[in-house]
Amino acid sequence: MIHLRSLTKVYKLGKANSVRALAGVDLDIEDAEFVAVMGASGSGKSTLMNILGCLDRPTEGEYTLSGEVVSMKSDEQLAHTRNRKIGFVFQTFNLLPKLSALQNVELPLVYRGMSARERRTIALDSLSKVGLSDRVSHRPAELSGGQQQRVAIARAIATSPGLLLADEPTGNLDSASGSEIMQIFSDLNANGITIVLITHDEHIAAYASRVVKLRDGLIISDESVFRQKVAMGE
């Protein structure tokens, strides 16, 4: 699914100064893997996630997604790739407050030009997958934090992406809601979606099957781990 070679990202700070956020990353992620990315602030996690999500381009190196080189695409081509192949889940949910749960989930389908009937069918199915069939008409303010994140996940999977990127998805949730969200991710992964998750929490990372750690823009470790269920003896 993901193939990175010698990936470098340098940000210019004025004419004379620059910051090297990624310093030559090599990484392969297979279809249906669940990978957690960890590292301290400034390690390069967010930069890596932005490049994986086609929100930014590397300064040097190559990024191949599902056999397609995307690292040098135009802005329009990157937007098309994002809409067709990638789902995003953020710590802050990023829901539109005046729209219902159903309408929020329908948004990426609007950009695809789908009919209202088709959008509604897909959005209802996505909300059902995250256990919110009884909250489709509720606005974000009428939902708990955990429920809002479920809506965000439903929106992310509505386009049937092969890759789901999650940036600290449990960061604003209590531990019980966080565990529920991570179980949803585990279920989605079991159904074949590739997941790359940024987290500072070792407990959250334990849900993944692999943990990649970054420091100073480089991968310092890349290890397979036991799933949380195995670790808990379930």
Side-chain angles (χ1 to χ4, degrees), residues 26-151:
D26 294 333
L27 180 66
D28 291 310
I29 296 175
E30 301 296 329
D31 286 336
E33 273 202 282
F34 190 162
V35 180
V37 178
M38 305 188 73
S41 296
S43 63
K45 302 188 308 299
S46 295
T47 299
L48 178 62
M49 185 69 81
N50 286 339
I51 291 175
L52 292 179
C54 297
L55 297 168
D56 200 359
R57 298 185 186 86
T59 303
E60 296 177 353
E62 184 175 278
Y63 170 26
T64 302
L65 176 63
S66 298
E68 183 179 17
V69 178
V70 298
S71 43
M72 301 306 294
K73 285 190 171 187
S74 68
D75 290 344
E76 184 177 351
Q77 290 170 328
L78 289 176
H80 183 269
T81 298
R82 286 195 301 271
N83 187 254
R84 296 289 173 176
K85 297 184 177 182
I86 305 170
F88 297 89
V89 179
F90 301 98
Q91 179 177 344
T92 52
F93 317 140
N94 290 355
L95 302 176
L96 296 184
K98 294 185 178 181
L99 299 185
S100 68
L102 182 66
Q103 291 168 327
N104 268 284
V105 175
E106 285 182 321
L107 274 178
L109 305 176
V110 173
Y111 299 138
R112 285 196 177 185
M114 287 185 178
S115 68
R117 178 179 294 180
E118 189 175 8
R119 292 197 308 264
R120 180 180 176 83
T121 297
I122 293 173
L124 287 172
D125 180 62
S126 297
L127 286 165
S128 175
K129 289 177 180 176
V130 298
L132 285 182
S133 293
D134 59 342
R135 295 289 188 272
V136 298
S137 299
H138 289 60
R139 294 183 179 182
E142 300 170 318
L143 300 171
S144 68
Q147 289 171 336
Q148 289 184 60
Q149 192 61 294
R150 290 184 186 216
V151 174

